[in-house]
Amino acid sequence: MIYEDSDDVQPVLQEGTGYESGLSFEEASLKRFGYQVSDEVAEYLSTVRERPVWKQIPGEVREMIRTQELPEQGFPFEDTLAFLRELILPYPQGNGHPAFAGWINSAPAHAAVLIKPLVAAMNPNCGIGDHAGQELERRVVQWVMELCGFPVADSAGVFVSGGSEANFTCLQAARYWAAQADGWDVRKEGMQGSRPPYVLYQSDQGHFSVRRSVEAMGLGSDAIHIIPTTPTYQMDVEQLSQRIRQDLNVGQRPFCVVATAGTVESGAIDSLDELADLCEEQDIWLHVDGAYGSFGILDERVAMLFEGMKRVDSLATDQHKWLSVPIDCGCALVRHGTLLRDTFRLTPAGQDEHEVWMSEYTMQRTRRFRALDVWSVVRTAGRAGLARAIANNNDMARLLARMVSAEPDLELVSSGPLSIVRFRYAPPALYDDPLTLDRLNKELALEVQRRGKTLLTSTYFQGKVALRACIVNYMTCASDILTMVEEVIDTGASLLSQINN
Ligand SMILES: Cc1ncc(COP(=O)(O)O)c(C=O)c1O
């Protein structure tokens, strides 16, 4: 009640604007700044090819970014924009550039970039309430299902921050389902009771985000039983079946198989149909980590590899990978919609006062309007446009593999079925020197990065360091692939001559 008697409080009687706080601008400035920003965006996006893929942040720039004082009084917006132009925009990660193939990070689709200010201007909480934001998300999640060949009827899904959270969301549903089938409530009782240890299965090519989820769920990473892969890097279903039998024999509770549709190392897609047969027979939840590869189904030449997708229990997808939606956006899809809701809802079933809120499908209560980003991309490109971009990436990966195979100083490690290619700089003179080859390829990835014409990363796989190209940029064309090959050969030769001298 301090305020009641205070003379200092001056109630604002006229219409509030917020101008004096710096948190809002009057209409003319809004328009002027808005035009300036859109000019900046258009310039940035249309000149991306002319800039280096990656450029080291100069020491003094790094220093200026790090030592900025906390502003006591706000700066004019023009000044903020100038800071961005000079100190931030010239030093991107590189993923907008068509010759970038470093990690599985795509370029943003232009429609989604342009729509961003509207998403922010509306700023709805897409976790609660009755508004267009939640309504749109309900529908766009179904579009994602349709794009991935995931059944729509009775399923539910929700946009999340990315593949890691999508896996986490689906795995929580899987665990809830298994506990329910075993007659207990994991949400209430946690993993505290003395019950058969819950175990799940992932191939040796599976992504580490699954381990993080399992750790966060209190199962402990020992609960993940790693299954070896076939020569095509797919989970060996026979070995999986044997392992499940062994685990049952020693009193463990196999509750989930985590398949991958598009492994991060080679793009391999596990045999979903065979896994679905086994999971049905053993009454185990089949989850698919499709963070990278699930939209690969849009390339009709490889669509048959996704056979069985209709039979899986859950699917993690990433819109910020192959759909070119700006970071961050993933989507968790679950076949049993009510079950997903039961995994997260806070009101008891049967006491619903409103239609399902999207926050009842996930951990997050206040949620940004990711659906508008996805909607703008899918609506502008259409299924056909997305399919063309993805098929082109797969074609570029094939081209890269062919060019690598034709070069005597390069060795192809793996290629296909999607858009990841691994290869090494391996001149014949070094065949008998694996340590130098490893050192060379590791340094090569960094040096190529520094040179700025392309960007690849190195990876350690089956005892060897290799270069990995992940092609997910809708602009990548044959000349970018040629640049990749030329840069690797040229940089490799120059590093080798330094080693030899
Ligand atoms: C197969 C796979 N699963 C999960 C993830 C994690 O996705 P995110 O980085 O969006 O959290 C990735 C990321 O590359 C991935 O390739």
Side-chain angles (χ1 to χ4, degrees):
M1 292 290 107
I2 295 175
Y3 291 114
E4 225 171 42
D5 303 326
S6 167
D7 292 337
D8 297 343
V9 176
Q10 300 296 325
V12 178
L13 297 176
Q14 71 278 43
E15 199 181 329
T17 59
Y19 300 154
E20 64 293 342
S21 65
L23 294 173
S24 65
F25 305 133
E26 41 79 31
E27 191 179 344
S29 301
L30 261 177
K31 287 191 173 154
R32 187 158 47 87
F33 299 154
Y35 290 134
Q36 285 171 7
V37 171
S38 25
D39 283 349
E40 210 66 64
V41 169
E43 162 89 11
Y44 186 86
L45 290 176
S46 55
T47 57
V48 67
R49 213 175 242 295
E50 294 152 31
R51 295 193 298 271
V53 180
W54 181 83
K55 196 159 86 173
Q56 179 121 45
I57 308 175
E60 66 276 13
V61 173
R62 214 183 278 277
E63 199 53 22
M64 282 166 82
I65 296 173
R66 286 186 185 179
T67 58
Q68 289 172 82
E69 299 283 345
L70 169 71
E72 191 51 44
Q73 303 301 329
F75 287 96
F77 184 74
E78 278 98 338
D79 187 280
T80 300
L81 205 52
F83 187 99
L84 260 179
R85 193 183 305 117
E86 286 157 34
L87 302 177
I88 305 292
L89 291 176
Y91 309 105
Q93 179 204 357
N95 52 327
H97 197 288
F100 172 96
W103 296 273
I104 314 177
N105 289 143
S106 49
H110 291 185
V113 174
L114 297 179
I115 221 111
K116 277 274 175 201
L118 288 174
V119 176
M122 254 187 111
N123 199 31
N125 175 357
C126 288
I128 56 174
D130 180 12
H131 54 87
Q134 292 216 87
E135 212 47 67
L136 191 70
E137 180 159 353
R138 290 186 187 109
R139 185 65 190 128
V140 181
V141 160
Q142 293 179 333
W143 282 6
V144 172
M145 293 172 186
E146 287 180 47
L147 286 173
C148 299
F150 191 89
V152 175
D154 301 326
S155 300
V158 61
F159 289 117
V160 292
S161 58
S164 304
E165 194 185 342
N167 280 327
F168 189 37
T169 308
C170 294
L171 290 178
Q172 288 185 79
R175 183 182 59 165
Y176 178 81
W177 164 81
Q180 196 184 44
D182 295 349
W184 59 287
D185 180 354
V186 66
R187 291 189 59 192
K188 194 155 168 287
E189 300 169 51
M191 300 306 293
Q192 314 278 19
S194 53
R195 301 188 179 85
Y198 270 44
V199 291
L200 69 163
Y201 305 85
Q202 186 186 24
S203 89
D204 58 23
Q205 297 298 298
H207 195 260
F208 58 76
S209 57
V210 169
R211 195 184 88 210
R212 283 203 171 144
S213 302
V214 168
E215 287 171 4
M217 281 159 53
L219 293 168
S221 52
D222 282 352
I224 307 177
H225 292 183
I226 299 292
I227 306 301
T229 40
T230 63
T232 47
Y233 309 113
Q234 293 166 292
M235 192 187 295
D236 186 323
V237 182
E238 188 45 44
Q239 299 221 36
L240 169 67
S241 169
Q242 281 174 22
R243 185 69 204 258
I244 292 173
R245 276 199 299 275
Q246 280 169 16
D247 291 344
L248 285 168
N249 284 339
V250 296
Q252 300 193 326
R253 165 59 158 120
F255 79 100
C256 178
V257 170
V258 180
T260 312
T263 60
V264 65
E265 278 292 339
S266 68
I269 301 155
D270 289 333
S271 305
L272 303 182
D273 231 0
E274 271 186 272
L275 290 170
D277 286 342
L278 179 63
C279 288
E280 253 169 47
E281 181 193 305
Q282 297 288 344
D283 206 13
I284 295 178
W285 182 285
L286 178 56
H287 170 65
V288 178
D289 176 359
Y292 156 52
S294 48
F295 298 108
I297 197 172
L298 292 173
D299 179 350
E300 58 189 25
R301 298 162 305 177
V302 290
M304 65 287 187
L305 300 174
F306 296 82
E307 194 66 44
M309 188 59 97
K310 287 197 163 33
R311 301 173 61 198
V312 312
D313 294 294
S314 57
L315 171 66
T317 70
D318 241 345
Q319 284 55 51
H320 64 207
K321 288 193 166 61
W322 235 350
L323 277 200
S324 306
V325 169
I327 293 167
D328 59 8
C329 187
C331 189
L333 303 176
V334 174
R335 275 297 280 119
H336 331 278
T338 352
L339 195 126
L340 178 63
R341 189 181 184 193
D342 288 345
T343 306
F344 292 99
R345 66 186 303 156
L346 293 170
T347 48
Q351 293 184 16
D352 308 318
E353 286 164 5
H354 48 71
E355 210 176 332
V356 185
W357 284 349
M358 298 312 284
S359 60
E360 294 179 274
Y361 289 138
T362 176
M363 297 285 288
Q364 228 184 339
R365 169 100 172 152
T366 302
R367 308 175 57 252
R368 73 176 190 83
F369 197 179
R370 292 191 176 99
L372 196 61
D373 296 351
V374 182
W375 175 83
S376 70
V377 175
V378 179
R379 199 167 196 277
T380 310
R383 188 203 296 257
L386 297 169
R388 266 196 300 277
I390 287 170
N392 179 59
N393 288 160
N394 288 339
D395 283 343
M396 290 304 108
R398 293 303 81 74
L399 175 65
L400 175 60
R402 278 204 306 278
M403 290 175 83
V404 165
S405 300
E407 289 293 339
D409 286 350
L410 300 181
E411 178 197 344
L412 186 65
V413 175
S414 71
S415 98
L418 303 177
S419 65
I420 293 181
V421 179
R422 285 176 305 179
F423 62 105
R424 302 208 301 162
Y425 179 70
L430 287 181
Y431 278 177
D432 297 332
D433 189 354
L435 286 181
T436 306
L437 273 180
D438 277 357
R439 194 154 60 94
L440 192 59
N441 279 280
K442 212 167 180 168
E443 182 52 32
L444 207 155
L446 296 173
E447 185 55 22
V448 161
Q449 208 163 325
R450 285 191 280 268
R451 288 163 59 132
K453 288 196 185 155
T454 185
L455 199 152
L456 302 167
T457 46
S458 64
T459 166
Y460 187 71
F461 185 73
Q462 292 181 336
K464 287 180 184 174
V465 175
L467 303 169
R468 192 183 59 148
C470 313
I471 302 168
V472 287
N473 184 310
Y474 47 77
M475 285 185 291
T476 303
C477 64
S479 67
D480 301 305
I481 302 298
L482 183 63
T483 305
M484 276 174 214
V485 173
E486 285 176 349
E487 273 296 281
V488 168
I489 294 178
D490 204 44
T491 313
S494 108
L495 286 174
L496 192 56
S497 74
Q498 286 167 30
I499 289 176
N500 289 336
N501 288 330

